Structure formats: C-alpha cells, structure tokens
Amino acid sequence: MKIINDRCPLYDECGRKKCEYQFRELDCPYYWANARPDAEIPDQETIRYEKHD
C-alpha cells in the first residue's frame, strides 16, 4: 500500500514509496536535511525554529 504525503513538497524527490512522517515531517531525515525556502511546510518550520531557540 502506498501512503502519499501530499503535505510534503519533497515527497516526489525523496523517492519513498510509503511515508510514515505525515504531520511530523521533521522526524524524516530527508525533509530535515533538504527543506529550503521554496519547499517548506510552515507548521514544521515553526516547530524547527522553536526547538533551536
């Protein structure tokens, strides 16, 4: 069964057939390392910035 994360702008480029990180994309090593201004999930980036302050 393919689980698509349609929230994640990096889903197609990461190559996963199944995404278990929907709504907690910061736990995904690919999203954590590759999020960029044109490919961010706003609620996840808010969490990222709160964790690092």
Side-chain angles (χ1 to χ4, degrees):
M1 181 169 121
K2 183 173 182 174
I3 299 173
I4 298 172
N5 185 347
D6 54 3
R7 274 173 43 97
C8 183
L10 303 176
Y11 180 74
D12 290 332
E13 71 184 59
C14 84
R16 292 180 182 272
K17 294 184 191 293
K18 178 179 170 185
C19 180
E20 57 273 352
Y21 298 108
Q22 192 162 14
F23 299 105
R24 53 185 187 82
E25 288 83 4
L26 286 178
D27 293 338
C28 172
Y30 193 87
Y31 179 82
W32 179 263
N34 294 289
R36 53 194 181 272
D38 63 330
E40 291 179 331
I41 303 170
D43 65 336
Q44 294 298 297
E45 293 309 307
T46 300
I47 293 167
R48 181 195 309 253
Y49 297 128
E50 288 173 357
K51 284 183 177 180
H52 289 288
D53 285 345

